[in-house]
Amino acid sequence: MHETVFDRILRGTLPADRVYEDEDVLAFRDINPQAPIHVLVIPKAKFARFTEIASRPIEETGRFFSAVSKVATSLNLDSSGYRVVINNGRYSGQEVEYFHAHILSGRKLNWPPG
Ligand code: 5GP
């Protein structure tokens, strides 16, 4: 797998506005926010795409999504609500080939998404 900007953020060689970290994940603010709150959550155990989740340990996946929920709670988003987005592959517009979830909030989000 080639190195991505998220590898560098995780390693600490590229600065990021970190909002949460535990043994499984790191969360930081998106550099080009699409909503007033736009946070990215990455697993420390790297893989490139959501597609690969099917062949990864189920406990790892459970811990990842549990952490995404904790990040949203820590940002006080539970009462207002938020959206979790995962882009997978070319048609989704996935730019960074390091699996990640977007947490978006701080405004009423449109549905359907574009
Ligand atoms: P994707 O389209 O792959 O799901 O989303 C990648 C996201 O990473 C984009 O929203 C983009 O703005 C964000 N991003 C790209 N490079 C950087 C960076 O160097 N730092 C941070 N914090 N976010 C980045």
Side-chain angles (χ1 to χ4, degrees):
M1 267 186 288
H2 72 283
E3 189 186 62
T4 71
V5 287
F6 295 173
D7 292 279
R8 295 179 57 207
I9 288 171
L10 182 59
R11 235 186 13 250
T13 56
L14 185 67
D17 186 357
R18 294 166 174 238
V19 298
Y20 177 92
E21 182 168 10
D22 66 21
E23 61 183 5
D24 300 311
V25 308
L26 174 67
F28 51 90
R29 292 190 194 276
D30 196 293
I31 205 168
N32 181 24
Q34 301 303 310
I37 310 278
H38 188 171
V39 166
L40 304 172
V41 188
I42 64 169
K44 290 187 174 177
K46 182 188 182 181
F47 56 99
R49 292 190 176 189
F50 180 74
T51 311
E52 296 167 53
I53 276 193
S55 57
R56 296 194 68 90
I58 197 92
E59 298 78 15
E60 177 190 280
T61 302
R63 285 198 304 275
F64 178 79
F65 284 102
S66 176
V68 172
S69 175
K70 272 191 223 165
V71 173
T73 300
S74 74
L75 294 168
N76 293 314
L77 302 180
D78 289 339
S79 61
S80 57
Y82 57 90
R83 185 172 295 163
V84 177
V85 172
I86 294 168
N87 291 322
N88 185 78
R90 189 163 53 93
Y91 269 16
S92 75
Q94 181 178 1
E95 284 172 16
V96 180
E97 291 280 328
Y98 187 132
F99 171 76
H100 54 281
H102 299 249
I103 299 175
L104 296 149
S105 188
R107 66 170 169 82
K108 180 87 172 67
L109 300 167
N110 298 323
W111 191 265

